[in-house]
């Protein structure tokens, strides 16, 4: 499989032009804080000192996980397909927030254990009816994993968007995300797991035990598995699709709007394959899922918001859209010192 090569967005000359425009606005330098950094980043991604965001989109990637057989979720697996139906009916939180922000929404079935048939608003990219239980063997075959990544790459190649947010749905996927986090970062399993959809202490113990057994099962002595091998062994079909979509969208110089714990686990894989993908990422928030703050710290990421969210679905990405719009709008619409006849700072 051909992974696209990504280049860094850094351009010293463009940084200078963006900073000159930002600093000429009628405000003390740096006084818009994160919005100034965001305006600079979006300009670098779009390779212009006049960035725009007119076509926001969010993709929700859905898939089931065989590891639910280990009792790692507070909800039954059937909730995955039921929530996809809720998305299609427009009744979920992400639907509300996407409508509020005039954001296009795509729901993708990559591996739900359910037959939806041909449905308006549902993109059928089903690779399998969920993953296998990674405590007993690899979650995906190499072919399934690569097929899901390829599906994400192909979809991102033509999506009509300039900013692309990522969301997910899949009962058991916090366990897959935590397993990937432990495998890719080397952190202790206990530092990677959280309550997910609401596990009690016994459920948390089952989750930790399942991940520990899986890491032991898939270890190859002292030689760490390659990122794609870790993804196939421990990940999810929806996570693999997001890996491909992130790389494909960055190749087109789209702004990648990263949601919570599961989405960031996909980014861990994408960044292990192409580190420059991080230049294209805006981190919408720090989730209330226990491992997310550590995951963001590992990636040296600065989230825009802290709202104690742990819903997934891309909700944090949707809620961050007004901040991205504010960043490009102040750069385009705010008066300069000369145009407003305002005196600049002495010196």
């Amino acid at each position: 499989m051909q992974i696209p090569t990504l280049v860094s967005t850094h351009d010293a000359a463009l940084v200078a032009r963006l900073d000159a425009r930002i600093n000429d606005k009628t405000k003390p330098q740096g006084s818009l804080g994160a919005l100034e950094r965001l305006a600079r980043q979006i300009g670098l991604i779009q390779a212009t000192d006049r960035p725009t965001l007119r076509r926001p989109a969010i993709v929700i990637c859905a898939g089931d996980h065989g590891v639910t057989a280990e009792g790692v979720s507070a909800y039954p697996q059937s909730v995955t397909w039921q929530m996809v139906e809720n998305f299609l009916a427009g009744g979920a939180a992400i639907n509300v927030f996407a409508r509020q922000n005039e954001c296009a929404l795509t729901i993708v079935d990559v591996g739900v254990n359910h037959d939806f048939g041909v449905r308006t608003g549902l993109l059928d990219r089903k690779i399998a009816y969920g993953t296998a239980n990674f405590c007993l063997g690899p979650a995906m075959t190499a072919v399934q994993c690569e097929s899901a990544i390829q599906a994400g790459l192909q979809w991102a190649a033509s999506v009509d968007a300039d900013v692309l947010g990522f969301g997910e749905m899949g009962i058991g996927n916090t366990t897959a995300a935590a397993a990937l986090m432990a495998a890719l970062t080397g952190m202790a399993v206990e530092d990677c797991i959280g309550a997910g959809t609401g596990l009690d202490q016994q459920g948390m113990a089952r989750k930790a035990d399942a991940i520990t057994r899986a890491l032991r099962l898939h270890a190859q002595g002292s030689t760490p598995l390659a990122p794609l091998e870790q993804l196939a062994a421990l990940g999810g079909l929806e996570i693999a699709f997001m890996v491909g979509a992130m790389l494909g969208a960055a190749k087109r110089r789209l702004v990648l709007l990263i949601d919570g714990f599961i989405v960031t686990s996909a980014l861990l894989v994408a960044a292990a394959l192409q580190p420059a993908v991080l230049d294209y990422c805006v981190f919408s928030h720090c989730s209330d899922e226990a491992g997310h703050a550590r995951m963001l710290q590992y990636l040296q990421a600065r989230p825009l918001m802290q709202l104690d969210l742990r819903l997934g679905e891309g909700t944090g990405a949707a809620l961050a859209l007004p901040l991205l719009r504010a960043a490009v709008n102040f750069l385009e619409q705010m008066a300069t010192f000369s145009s407003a006849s305002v005196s600049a700072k002495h010196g």
Side-chain angles (χ1 to χ4, degrees):
M1 180 179 58
Q2 189 69 34
I3 297 293
T5 300
L6 302 181
V7 297
S8 171
T9 64
H10 184 68
D11 178 335
L14 180 54
V15 168
R17 295 203 308 275
L18 283 161
D19 284 349
R21 292 199 69 215
I22 290 168
N23 293 335
D24 194 32
K25 300 300 179 180
T26 47
K27 59 173 183 60
Q29 287 189 16
S31 59
L32 282 178
L35 293 183
E36 296 189 22
R37 295 192 296 271
L38 196 51
R40 186 182 301 110
Q41 182 186 7
I42 296 170
L44 287 170
I45 292 170
Q46 296 183 351
T48 177
D49 62 0
R50 306 188 79 91
T52 60
L53 292 176
R54 298 193 178 99
R55 302 186 316 281
I58 290 175
V59 59
I60 305 175
C61 308
D64 275 309
H65 295 259
V67 73
T68 55
E70 302 291 328
V72 297
S73 177
Y75 286 83
Q77 190 180 80
S78 57
V79 169
T80 302
W81 73 260
Q82 291 165 359
M83 280 302 300
V84 170
E85 290 286 1
N86 196 17
F87 299 148
L88 294 174
I94 186 57
N95 299 100
V96 174
F97 301 151
R99 285 193 297 268
Q100 172 182 305
N101 289 290
E102 299 179 335
C103 176
L105 198 58
T106 298
I107 300 102
V108 186
D109 172 12
V110 193
V112 181
N113 188 21
H114 184 77
D115 283 310
F116 293 99
V118 178
R119 300 289 297 281
T120 300
L122 181 65
L123 186 63
D124 182 3
R125 294 294 183 270
K126 193 189 295 289
I127 306 298
Y129 288 86
T131 58
N133 183 349
F134 63 43
C135 291
L136 305 178
M140 296 172 274
T141 67
V143 171
Q144 288 173 334
C145 185
E146 290 187 8
S147 296
I149 294 172
Q150 192 64 42
L153 281 166
Q154 290 173 348
W155 178 78
S158 59
V159 61
D160 182 22
D162 45 25
V163 53
L164 180 59
F166 292 85
E168 41 58 45
M169 181 63 221
I171 295 300
N173 62 8
T174 59
T175 303
L180 283 172
M181 178 183 173
L184 291 166
T185 69
M187 294 184 199
V189 170
E190 291 73 18
D191 290 334
C192 300
I193 63 169
T197 51
L199 285 175
D200 58 18
Q201 287 302 312
Q202 288 182 322
M204 291 274 284
R206 288 193 298 271
K207 180 185 281 194
D209 177 65
I211 294 172
T212 300
R213 285 186 285 124
L215 293 175
R216 190 181 305 124
L217 175 67
H218 300 294
Q220 291 188 346
S222 60
T223 304
L225 295 178
L228 289 182
E229 293 174 319
Q230 299 281 25
L231 178 60
L234 303 166
L237 290 157
E238 82 281 30
I239 293 173
F241 183 97
M242 287 191 289
V243 171
M246 287 173 181
L247 295 172
K251 184 69 175 177
R252 292 180 55 203
R253 301 191 79 102
L254 306 188
V255 178
L256 310 187
L257 190 50
I258 307 301
D259 189 40
F261 184 62
I262 294 97
V263 170
T264 310
S265 76
L267 180 61
L268 281 178
V269 179
L273 296 170
Q274 289 289 317
V277 72
L278 295 173
D279 288 1
Y280 300 82
C281 294
V282 173
F283 294 86
S284 61
H285 72 115
C286 181
S287 166
D288 204 35
E289 181 68 16
H292 195 219
R294 296 185 184 95
M295 201 183 269
L296 293 174
Q297 186 177 28
Y298 177 83
L299 292 170
Q300 298 182 321
R302 301 177 71 169
L304 291 176
M305 304 181 297
Q306 175 71 61
L307 299 175
D308 300 335
L309 304 176
R310 54 181 181 87
L311 177 57
E313 302 179 7
T315 47
L319 290 169
L321 281 170
L323 296 178
L324 274 69
R325 287 193 174 108
V328 297
N329 286 346
F330 96 76
L331 190 58
E332 185 61 27
Q333 300 173 23
M334 194 172 170
T336 64
F337 283 103
S338 57
S339 71
S341 299
V342 173
S343 297
K345 182 180 179 182
H346 293 301

